Amino acid sequence: MAERGLLTDREREIITGEAEVSDSYQYRVASRIRNKIERMEEDASILKEHRTDLLEELQDVVCENN
């Protein structure tokens, strides 16, 4: 079993359209993901203060995919 990143396996299936779910459920999943993204701001602040090496790795991964 692989560890998850930002998305769970189920969220990946829903976002990519592999899973058939209602529009309202897709909306709830998107809302959950938005909340996770918002919490990442606090996580980044913690990494900046305590582990800049890990923050740099995070920035490299996120910025590389844009």
Side-chain angles (χ1 to χ4, degrees):
M1 182 165 124
E3 292 184 38
R4 72 176 174 94
L6 175 64
L7 304 177
T8 64
D9 290 340
R10 181 69 174 152
E11 289 168 340
R12 286 186 184 105
E13 291 172 355
I14 292 166
I15 294 296
T16 61
E18 293 177 28
E20 289 188 34
V21 296
S22 68
D23 289 344
S24 64
Y25 191 73
Q26 283 183 343
Y27 178 82
R28 288 195 308 263
V29 169
S31 180
R32 262 197 324 259
I33 294 168
R34 282 188 189 94
N35 289 336
K36 291 180 193 181
I37 292 169
E38 288 175 9
R39 289 192 307 266
M40 285 181 65
E41 184 176 358
E42 180 182 355
D43 293 345
S45 294
I46 290 168
L47 292 176
K48 183 177 182 180
E49 185 174 340
H50 300 282
R51 290 295 304 264
T52 55
D53 58 322
L54 295 175
L55 177 61
E56 289 172 8
E57 287 181 42
L58 174 63
Q59 289 170 328
D60 287 346
V61 169
V62 171
C63 295
E64 180 179 301
N65 290 320
N66 288 323

